[in-house]
Amino acid sequence: MTTQYSMPPEELKSANLHTPTDLDEQMIDKVLEEANRAIDQGKAGVGALILWRGEILALGHNTFEETGDMTAHGEMTVLRQAARRLSQMSAEEKEDLSIYVTLEPCLMCLSAISFVGIRRVVYSALAEDANEEQWVARGISIDKLNSSLVRGPLELVAGVKREAGKAILARMNKRS
């Protein structure tokens, strides 16, 4: 298994952390490929993807380099790409949404993901794998905030292909 968690196994259940499926690993491969393509083109390498019932609704990467928008993280980019479709979905349909990211979402992205109604977040590298200067707040990670989210806890699948996620960070010179 390629999954590594940022907390002891006995705490996994209380943080709502889950084991990845084969589909999760396939989708993480897609966001890792997107991130590597972006880096190859001199762009930021945080890839993200939104999946609904087997359909990829959006695939993209951090677009700060192209736009100058500091909020254009990979997650925000795909949320914007899929915005119209997401806004037309019922709460029941949103239950089948997952977002896949090469790096654990920051507080801004986590808030947006929760606000939109995506209930499942799958990510590769953990926040602790990045340089401290890349963090939004020291010691705060999704697994610690999850139970406090007003819209309910998310299903988290952390550290999927973590070493590959760390390699992306290293290519961007953002690895701790």
Side-chain angles (χ1 to χ4, degrees):
M1 179 67 58
T2 57
T3 303
Q4 298 175 10
Y5 296 103
S6 61
M7 60 180 29
E10 62 274 5
E11 295 179 31
L12 293 177
K13 188 174 183 181
S14 65
N16 211 24
L17 288 168
H18 296 263
T19 303
T21 65
D22 289 341
L23 180 61
D24 291 336
E25 296 209 4
Q26 291 168 18
M27 294 301 108
I28 285 292
D29 283 339
K30 288 190 181 303
V31 295
L32 290 167
E33 289 169 16
E34 176 69 18
N36 276 309
R37 270 193 301 276
I39 294 169
D40 290 345
Q41 297 170 6
K43 302 173 184 176
V46 177
L49 175 154
I50 298 175
L51 186 73
W52 180 68
R53 297 180 180 170
E55 177 187 353
I56 296 173
L57 301 182
L59 172 64
H61 60 273
N62 180 316
T63 57
F64 166 73
E65 297 297 330
E66 299 97 298
T67 65
D69 179 357
M70 292 292 290
T71 68
H73 293 190
E75 301 93 315
M76 300 301 285
T77 299
V78 296
L79 287 170
R80 289 174 183 137
Q81 286 174 6
R84 183 170 309 278
R85 183 93 180 263
L86 294 171
S87 70
Q88 295 170 347
M89 287 183 172
S90 67
E92 183 179 315
E93 289 172 316
K94 287 181 179 182
E95 290 176 10
D96 296 328
L97 287 166
S98 295
I99 189 166
Y100 295 85
V101 192
T102 56
L103 176 61
E104 179 176 336
C106 71
L107 297 176
M108 172 186 70
C109 294
L110 178 66
S111 297
I113 289 164
S114 177
F115 188 77
V116 166
I118 296 174
R119 307 301 319 150
R120 193 163 183 277
V121 182
V122 184
Y123 51 98
S124 184
L126 308 179
E128 67 192 44
D129 297 331
N131 290 336
E132 188 170 309
E133 67 189 39
Q134 304 306 314
W135 299 356
V136 174
R138 284 183 193 86
I140 297 179
S141 59
I142 292 177
D143 52 16
K144 293 176 183 165
L145 287 174
N146 197 25
S147 64
S148 300
L149 293 172
V150 172
R151 289 176 173 79
L154 304 173
E155 178 182 330
L156 305 176
V157 185
V160 180
K161 300 198 173 191
R162 185 176 179 189
E163 291 307 312
K166 287 171 139 182
I168 297 285
L169 292 172
R171 286 194 68 202
M172 293 189 304
N173 297 316
K174 297 191 184 300
R175 186 168 170 192
S176 59

